[in-house]
Amino acid sequence: MAKVKDLFRDYLAKHGLKVTRQREIILEGFMSSPSHLSAEELYLRLRKDHPNIGYATVYRTMKLLADSGIASERHFGDRQTRYEPNTSEDHHYHLICNSCGRIIEFEDAKIETLLQQTAADHQFTLSHQRLELYGLCPSCQGG
Ligand SMILES: [Zn+2]
Ligand SMILES: [Zn+2]
């Protein structure tokens, strides 16, 4: 957490932006929340303890976190932009339910190896990887 805060402070300083208490609260809230939240969902979570933080501030701060590389923006079929912490060593993949929007994360060493091998076969140096599988989750299959 301390490292992420320093990264964010450096980023703000470099861009002539102020380190404000509100921005730090949003960063802390983001890092301690479940993954894949939209700016609106994060705003609703923060609002309970921090009613003075407006939606626009959360929205803009999430953009800054994405620009600084701390968060990555994800789009899973719906029109929402969702955010998750950007950790380069963590290679997880997503299963997304078309009906309820549930997002399940999984890791799989076999897929990881296969993707690395595929990249190597094409003389590709990987920067990042994404794998998204769409369908129906168990609770949405009943109809
Ligand atoms: Zn579902
Ligand atoms: Zn994820």
Side-chain angles (χ1 to χ4, degrees), residues 35-36 74 76 83-85 90 92-94 103-106:
S35 212
H36 317 121
R74 308 300 299 265
F76 296 118
Y83 295 91
E84 62 184 9
D90 164 34
H92 68 266
Y93 310 109
H94 298 97
I103 300 164
I104 300 161
E105 295 192 333
F106 68 98

Side-chain angles (χ1 to χ4, degrees), residues 8 12 19 32 42 53 57 59 67 78-79 81 84-85 92 94 100 107 110-111 115 124 134 141-142:
F8 193 41
L12 292 172
V19 178
S32 61
L42 181 60
I53 299 181
T57 307
Y59 179 86
D67 280 351
D78 57 8
R79 269 176 216 107
T81 301
E84 62 184 9
H92 68 266
H94 298 97
C100 69
E107 286 175 56
K110 293 192 299 292
I111 294 177
L115 294 177
F124 234 73
Y134 292 84
Q141 287 166 25

